[in-house]
Amino acid sequence: MAAIKHVFYRMYQAVFAVGIRFMPKKKQKVLTGNGCLYQVPEILRAKQVGKVEIITTAGFVRRKAIEPLLKALQEAGVDAVIFSEVAPDPTTACIEKAAELYRREHCRGILAIGGGSVLDCAKIAAAQIAKPKKTVLDMA
């Protein structure tokens, strides 16, 4: 039985490996340099993202490190909601809370500000938002 399952998965992967070559690719924009973060509000406004969830740590909020960004977002007409409960190695509960805040506040984008744990939390929360019927554990 395990061998049949293995063959099925390999065939599935092969079909999608061919199919993905025919799908359109999104051109990603890489922002670099001093102050590049302050280009984000204008990009969000241009893409008509009216509300964004900022996922970060309590330390960033406490040090007021994101205050200039919040001001720039406000000037661009983009509302922001802050989720600052990310701890090192975010738990499933933390990720689910971030996704729930996004849904409850009717956000249209996620902006992760911080290190690896913040990025992990934001990516998994975004995946859960995109696939609401799957739990974080289902996606593992």
Side-chain angles (χ1 to χ4, degrees), residues 63-113:
R63 290 187 302 274
K64 299 185 183 206
I66 61 171
E67 290 297 321
L69 174 64
L70 292 173
K71 184 178 178 195
L73 286 167
Q74 186 179 24
E75 289 170 358
V78 178
D79 291 331
V81 170
I82 300 171
F83 179 80
S84 62
E85 298 176 38
V86 180
D89 299 320
T91 63
T92 301
C94 172
I95 292 161
E96 289 172 347
K97 282 173 90 175
E100 175 53 33
L101 178 64
Y102 181 97
R103 288 186 203 101
R104 187 174 63 245
E105 293 290 331
H106 305 288
C107 295
R108 301 279 296 147
I110 292 176
L111 183 55
I113 301 179

Side-chain angles (χ1 to χ4, degrees), residues 29-44 69:
K29 184 171 186 167
V30 178
L31 304 176
T32 60
N34 236 0
C36 67
L37 182 62
Y38 303 109
Q39 295 174 34
V40 171
E42 194 55 39
I43 292 169
L44 292 173
L69 174 64

